[in-house]
Amino acid sequence: MKDALQKIFDSLVQGQTPMVKELTIGALEQGLAPGEILDGGLVAAMSVVGERFGNREIYLPDVLLSARAMYAGLDILEPLLAASGVKPVAKVAMGTVGGDIHDIGKNLVGIMMRGAGFEVIDLGVDVSPQKFVDAAAGGVSLIGMSALVGATMPSMQLTIQALDEAGFQGKVKTMIGGAIVTQPFADRIGADGFAPDAASAVDKAKELLAIG
Ligand code: B1M
């Protein structure tokens, strides 16, 4: 079992898309749980890729290859992780904020939220404050924002200001996250909630919307 996760981990770090796909299918056939494969294989490997990129041991093309391999695995796991089959508990909109194109974490949060019964509208990446406001006007209960690049964090504040100006303060909750985002930052910009990872994002969304 451990061996299967290690192989997925190694293949993802090396950016081997077909191998990650094949190994993910194989791990499921061996009986590993989708969540176990996600955390112990895909996410663990992606964080090593991130560290190596930060230390300049690998370069952007390598990161892109690993990201593509991550999606090959996620594509297989997504229907299993999201298969809750229950009536939506609430409608939320999620996006990566203006200027930022990182979407793996945002998508993971979306998958986990769907798995917990939320209806998730994916606004994509590089989402402008106005687009978030339009989503709020479309009747969502919560706006989720993701940011991974320091320079794009102010877009979160601009979005919250735009939502307030459009009259959504107290009516539509806001939750933020992403590798560089912290609770003190969330407090400073007036976000209703912050979550450090996809699993706690589900708990935080339930807490903010008072869903038991
Ligand atoms: Co970029 N990148 N990247 N990158 N990249 C980072 C973020 C960086 C930290 C790497 C580094 O230098 N060490 C750095 C940012 C530095 C900074 O500002 N602090 C960086 C940079 C600089 C850049 C470029 C500017 C590089 C360049 O062009 N010179 C460029 C940015 C372009 C732009 O956005 N305008 C860029 C581009 C890219 C790729 C396209 C190559 C690729 C993205 C592919 C894609 O997303 N489709 C990429 C990647 C993959 C990374 C790293 C290596 C990995 C990010 C990732 O997917 N992690 C990243 C290094 C790192 O983070 N250590 C890096 C896995 C993912 C599961 O984690 O997104 O944190 P994460 O999500 C977690 C939690 O944060 C949380 O839950 C998720 C699951 O647990 N979460 C939420 C996320 N969103 C949430 C929302 C919530 C709640 C929780 O509520 C709504």
Side-chain angles (χ1 to χ4, degrees), residues 69-117:
M70 169 114 189
Y71 273 120
L74 264 187
D75 281 350
I76 292 158
L77 298 182
E78 173 165 14
L80 304 169
L81 290 164
S84 65
V86 293
K87 202 167 165 279
V89 291
K91 192 166 156 186
V92 307
M94 299 265 316
T96 302
V97 295
D100 205 319
I101 59 158
H102 295 87
D103 66 358
I104 296 174
K106 182 261 298 170
N107 290 345
L108 265 182
V109 173
I111 290 170
M112 300 305 265
M113 300 271 281
R114 284 194 186 99

Side-chain angles (χ1 to χ4, degrees), residues 43 46 49-51 53-54 60 63-64 67 70-71 94 99-106 108-109 144-146 148-151 175-180 195-198 201:
V43 173
M46 205 62 208
V49 170
E51 268 168 42
F53 182 52
L60 215 51
V63 179
L64 268 177
M70 169 114 189
Y71 273 120
M94 299 265 316
D100 205 319
I101 59 158
H102 295 87
D103 66 358
I104 296 174
K106 182 261 298 170
L108 265 182
V109 173
M145 288 175 261
S146 184
L148 268 87
V149 180
M175 177 168 74
I176 64 172
I180 40 156
D197 55 51

